[in-house]
């Protein structure tokens, strides 16, 4: 393992919180973006005991060296993992095309704003009403910007409060009923988890 890469995974507190959240909500169809070392995947899959869709184009890269897959195998979870070794921005539209939908999505893939926006665009369509989406690294600029837009413009989502400040937790509560001309300006602040709004 390359030094310095391990910190990109969830830490123990985050992983245990995620596992507890999944155990409480009992999602049936689950998906995650960003396998890396497989920490989030191991905790999610151990909590559900079900098939889990995982998307990551760099599973076998010099940084991750297949450690994510090895960890899934070590915990006896590999058989239930549906792995897509491609960018999520290309896989998600295909899953939508297949008519799949999900109760839970954990997002910890590319942290570029454009990639995260595309991920949200498709996950929104893949997520069932009542389903949850959790975005990791809530403190990063792109994640904050996306969160500010969702909170102001996607009125069919509600935030779920949690002491886990590195996560943005969303629940889809209804279908999107925006009118074609609707757009609410939003502001991204440098402090706090989700931004303040205009
Ligand atoms: C922060 S790490 C994920 C950590 C992981 N959740 C864990 O707990 O071990 C980010 C991951 O996103 C992956 N990634 C980067 N660009 C991606 C993309 N376009 N689509 C899907 N995954 C991507 C990287 O390969 C990396 O494994």
């Amino acid at each position: 393992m390359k030094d310095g890469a391990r910190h990109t995974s969830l830490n123990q507190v985050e992983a245990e919180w995620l596992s507890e959240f999944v155990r409480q909500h009992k999602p049936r169809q689950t998906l995650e973006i960003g396998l890396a070392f497989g920490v989030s995947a191991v905790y999610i899959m151990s909590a559900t005991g079900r098939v889990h869709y995982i998307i990551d184009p760099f599973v076998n890269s010099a940084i991750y060296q297949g450690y994510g897959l090895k960890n899934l195998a070590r915990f006896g979870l590999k058989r239930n993992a549906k792995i897509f070794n491609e960018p999520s921005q290309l896989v998600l539209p295909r899953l939508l095309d297949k008519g799949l939908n999900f109760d839970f999505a954990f997002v910890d893939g590319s942290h570029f704003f454009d990639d995260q926006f595309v991920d949200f665009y498709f996950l929104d369509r893949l997520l069932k009403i009542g389903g949850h989406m959790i975005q990791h690294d809530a403190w990063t600029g792109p994640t904050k910007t996306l969160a500010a837009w969702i909170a102001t413009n996607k009125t069919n989502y509600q935030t779920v409060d949690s002491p886990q400040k590195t996560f943005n937790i969303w629940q889809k509560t209804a279908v999107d009923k925006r009118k074609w001309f609707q757009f609410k300006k939003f502001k991204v602040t440098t402090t706090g988890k989700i931004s303040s709004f205009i």
Side-chain angles (χ1 to χ4, degrees):
M1 181 190 310
K2 283 240 168 106
D3 285 348
R6 171 62 184 84
H7 76 275
T8 61
S9 289
L10 264 59
N11 63 39
Q12 177 114 17
V13 173
E14 292 172 319
E16 282 173 4
W17 183 92
L18 181 62
S19 164
E20 189 48 39
F21 183 91
V22 171
R23 278 178 210 281
Q24 263 179 31
H25 292 277
K26 301 182 175 48
R28 296 173 66 83
Q29 274 86 30
T30 60
L31 173 151
E32 88 174 89
I33 302 174
L35 176 72
F37 299 108
V39 177
S40 45
V42 164
Y43 277 79
I44 292 168
M45 293 184 75
S46 303
T48 64
R50 304 180 71 93
V51 168
H52 184 52
Y53 283 66
I54 302 172
I55 312 174
D56 194 322
F58 305 119
V59 166
N60 293 310
S61 67
I63 299 176
Y64 300 113
Q65 299 175 29
Y67 274 103
L69 300 177
K70 286 176 207 159
N71 281 332
L72 290 178
R74 207 170 100 204
F75 290 93
L77 300 166
K78 206 167 165 197
R79 154 178 74 88
N80 264 348
K82 273 190 95 65
I83 313 263
F84 296 81
N85 211 334
E86 293 168 77
S88 51
Q89 298 74 28
L90 303 183
V91 176
L92 294 175
R94 294 210 309 268
L95 301 184
L96 190 62
D97 208 33
K98 282 191 180 151
L100 295 177
N101 49 34
F102 295 88
D103 305 290
F104 177 78
F106 184 69
V107 187
D108 193 13
S110 167
H111 286 58
F112 290 134
F113 176 78
D114 38 356
D115 287 341
Q116 286 201 50
F117 189 87
V118 173
D119 285 343
F120 179 84
Y121 180 89
F122 286 107
L123 286 175
D124 177 27
R125 282 152 180 79
L126 286 161
L127 202 62
K128 294 182 206 169
I129 291 170
H132 291 93
M133 186 186 312
I134 298 185
Q135 298 155 338
H136 190 217
D137 296 325
W139 52 273
T140 59
T143 312
K144 276 185 172 206
T145 308
L146 180 61
W149 174 75
I150 298 170
T152 42
N153 282 274
K154 293 288 287 182
T155 50
N156 59 327
Y157 277 79
Q158 66 182 21
T159 53
V160 178
D161 244 2
S162 137
Q164 199 48 60
K165 297 301 175 205
T166 52
F167 292 150
N168 284 331
I169 307 148
W170 304 99
Q171 184 172 31
K172 182 174 176 177
T173 55
V175 291
D176 191 342
K177 292 206 184 95
R178 274 175 302 170
K179 303 259 185 329
W180 67 269
F181 53 83
Q182 267 179 272
F183 176 73
K184 217 168 167 188
K185 282 192 198 165
F186 61 95
K187 197 161 86 182
V188 183
T189 58
T190 49
T191 55
K193 192 165 82 159
I194 295 184
S195 317
S196 65
F197 314 119
I198 292 175

